[in-house]
Amino acid sequence: GASPAPSASVCPTRPMSAPGAPSTAQQAAQTISQAVSRQDGAGLAAALRLDLGNTALIAQLNSSPPLEQICGRALVEPWDELLLEQLHYIKAAAAGEHEAAYSHCERAAACFQAAFEKESDWPVPALHSLCLNLRRAAAAADAALVAKGERAARQQEAARTMQKFFQVCVTDRAPLPVSKKWGALVVINALFHVYFAINNLRLCQNLIRAVEGPAFPKALDGQTVEGRHFAKAEVVTYKYFTGRLALLNSDFGAAERQLSWAFERCPRAATGNKRLVLRYLVPVRLALGVFASEALLRKYGLDYFVPLCRAVHRGDLNAFEEQLATHQQRFIRHGSYLLVERSKLIVYRNFFRRVALLHPDKSTKLDIKRFQACLKATNTEMEVDEIECILANLIYCGYIKGYISHAHGKLVVSKGAPFPPLRELGLTSAV
């Protein structure tokens, strides 16, 4: 699926052995042989869905069976070598030999590519298992290398291997109903995972350009095109990553659209993945003046957002600063600190709006020194020039309709809606 797992997951945990996965090397060889002869992509994917939860298979591998003989008897090239490397990968990974496991996994991927280039689109379903194994094996190998004080480079190598899968998919010239292009989104999502992990986000743009190109299936909102569609899980994951990329590029409108799509269509049961989406969707919407309910935040284990949202809504500067400082490391780790920090401007807007309501007769000429006095009452010392600077920024962003009369020390506001509702401003201007 569009996640690293067949469910609509965005960043799944390691699965247990998949139902129907082969429990012996002989069974795996026979299943792959049948899948190849029948051009059964789903059967091939199931046969390759070998993981560390497959205790029966691992027990057999540890007894040193004649794997080359088993694979060679049942399969032709390069399928025999693919399975052989896959079995060596499982055995090495189970033994904690992560660098060797990655090498075997990469060779298995190379064998698959050799076959995939020559076949029609039928092996496409197997791309998910291969990319998932490769990505996890590379991450484990890099962790092992770092632990030894060596340079981590396996995830970069894995990305180059998956790029070859991607090229095979997107350059396929077969008609769309039988095109390998329908396998591209699986590979793109796997590459997104790796590029985020190694902090090489520049390369993500190349993938997005390919998706937005004229030859790519226009099915990224759940559409069916010529009888085919992407799995919802794949699209959910794609929207999640492109939403995060939009945030990093300060395109907050696009970020809100992509993340909202991902959250709304992610299955209810996938609470961990919905939580991942909300980590970024909540602060984006916060800037629009849309506050997530306390019940929603608590449901998804995002309790730390509750006092933050309350502080922004009330215009409570001290509470906002306290919450930002308390959870600074968490937000930095999630990559959302700067986005959350931007909400401070909304805190000022709401604070000044509350002060404006204290002026008698709804005056349109608001004394800046009164703003200063109210700030001081909340233990926030600020010079008039500094307050004027904040007000000018709020006016520029559209949060206040008016102008500053510096000579008279006044904020002159519009008679009608001097503090426009945040929802009316649009996301891009609201941040």
Side-chain angles (χ1 to χ4, degrees):
S3 51
S7 64
S9 63
V10 180
C11 191
T13 54
R14 180 175 295 283
M16 294 301 290
S17 184
S23 57
T24 67
Q26 290 88 341
Q27 188 181 347
Q30 191 59 37
T31 307
I32 291 176
S33 177
Q34 291 175 353
V36 171
S37 63
R38 297 171 184 171
Q39 296 197 341
D40 176 10
L44 177 64
L48 293 176
R49 203 171 296 138
L50 307 174
D51 56 60
L52 300 185
N54 201 326
T55 53
L57 177 61
I58 292 170
Q60 185 201 23
L61 295 177
N62 287 334
S63 68
S64 302
L67 294 179
E68 288 190 30
Q69 193 175 22
I70 292 170
C71 297
R73 280 180 179 174
L75 297 164
V76 297
E77 291 184 1
W79 302 106
D80 57 343
E81 189 178 350
L82 187 158
L83 178 58
L84 180 63
E85 295 294 348
Q86 187 84 345
L87 294 170
H88 282 311
Y89 151 65
I90 292 294
K91 182 179 180 181
E97 299 168 358
H98 298 299
E99 294 168 65
Y102 170 74
S103 297
H104 289 301
C105 196
E106 188 178 41
R107 285 197 287 271
C111 293
F112 177 81
Q113 186 194 344
F116 191 41
E117 287 176 340
K118 298 173 184 176
E119 297 283 353
S120 62
D121 70 321
W122 73 265
V124 159
L127 280 170
H128 177 270
S129 295
L130 287 158
C131 287
L132 181 59
N133 287 341
L134 190 62
R135 181 167 65 76
R136 287 179 170 162
D142 274 350
L145 288 167
V146 170
K148 295 194 301 184
E150 297 180 22
R151 178 174 171 268
R154 297 297 178 264
Q155 290 180 91
Q156 290 178 323
E157 294 173 10
R160 286 194 288 272
T161 298
M162 288 189 285
Q163 274 285 356
K164 294 175 184 176
F165 288 166
F166 175 68
Q167 288 301 321
V168 173
C169 291
V170 296
T171 58
D172 187 26
R173 296 188 177 184
L176 209 51
V178 292
S179 175
K180 294 175 185 175
K181 289 186 174 75
W182 294 103
L185 208 57
V186 173
V187 184
I188 288 169
N189 289 334
L191 284 166
F192 278 156
H193 271 287
V194 174
Y195 292 151
F196 270 82
I198 65 176
N199 197 26
N200 195 349
L201 304 184
R202 175 180 53 84
L203 297 177
C204 294
Q205 297 305 321
N206 298 333
L207 303 174
I208 293 172
R209 278 194 289 271
V211 169
E212 293 176 348
F216 201 83
K218 302 306 173 192
L220 287 179
D221 288 309
Q223 307 97 316
T224 297
V225 179
E226 297 191 33
R228 298 286 297 272
H229 64 274
F230 292 116
K232 184 189 289 185
E234 295 299 342
V235 185
V236 165
T237 303
Y238 180 79
K239 297 282 189 181
Y240 165 75
F241 279 117
T242 52
R244 288 188 60 186
L245 287 167
L247 282 181
L248 295 170
N249 292 326
S250 298
D251 189 348
F252 301 103
E256 198 275 342
R257 289 191 298 274
Q258 304 281 57
L259 293 170
S260 293
W261 199 102
F263 181 75
E264 290 163 8
R265 289 163 180 82
C266 190
R268 288 184 180 180
T271 53
N273 296 320
K274 292 179 88 73
R275 183 187 305 118
L276 282 178
V277 179
L278 284 174
R279 278 182 188 172
Y280 305 96
L281 185 55
V282 168
V284 167
R285 287 186 169 173
L286 197 60
L288 187 62
V290 179
F291 303 95
S293 71
E294 182 173 340
L296 178 75
L297 294 173
R298 296 199 187 283
K299 176 181 178 180
Y300 291 105
L302 298 171
D303 303 57
Y304 56 89
F305 270 120
V306 173
L308 187 76
C309 288
R310 190 179 296 131
V312 176
H313 184 256
R314 294 178 177 175
D316 189 336
L317 285 163
N318 289 329
F320 178 81
E321 291 285 9
E322 180 185 333
Q323 290 301 313
L324 191 62
T326 299
H327 301 291
Q328 180 180 21
Q329 292 306 313
R330 183 199 302 268
F331 292 137
I332 290 173
R333 192 167 61 251
H334 294 167
S336 60
Y337 178 78
L338 293 178
L339 175 63
V340 175
E341 190 182 38
R342 283 174 179 264
S343 299
K344 187 173 183 178
L345 203 56
I346 310 296
V347 183
Y348 278 121
R349 178 258 185 204
N350 291 343
F351 177 84
F352 290 139
R353 179 177 177 274
R354 289 174 65 189
V355 174
L357 293 174
L358 299 175
H359 278 70
D361 304 322
K362 295 185 178 180
S363 171
T364 59
K365 296 179 180 178
L366 310 178
D367 191 346
I368 292 176
K369 285 194 177 293
R370 176 170 289 193
F371 289 142
Q372 185 183 37
C374 289
L375 284 167
K376 187 173 183 179
T378 62
N379 298 316
T380 303
E381 296 283 350
M382 201 174 286
E383 298 295 328
V384 169
D385 287 349
E386 192 176 353
I387 296 171
E388 287 184 357
C389 182
I390 294 168
L391 289 170
N393 203 3
L394 289 167
I395 292 168
Y396 174 77
C397 291
Y399 293 140
I400 298 176
K401 287 184 179 178
Y403 64 91
I404 296 170
S405 174
H406 183 72
H408 298 94
K410 302 285 187 182
L411 170 67
V412 183
V413 297
S414 167
K415 288 183 179 179
F419 293 85
L422 293 170
R423 297 167 190 258
E424 297 177 4
L425 297 177
L427 270 167
T428 303
S429 62
V431 179

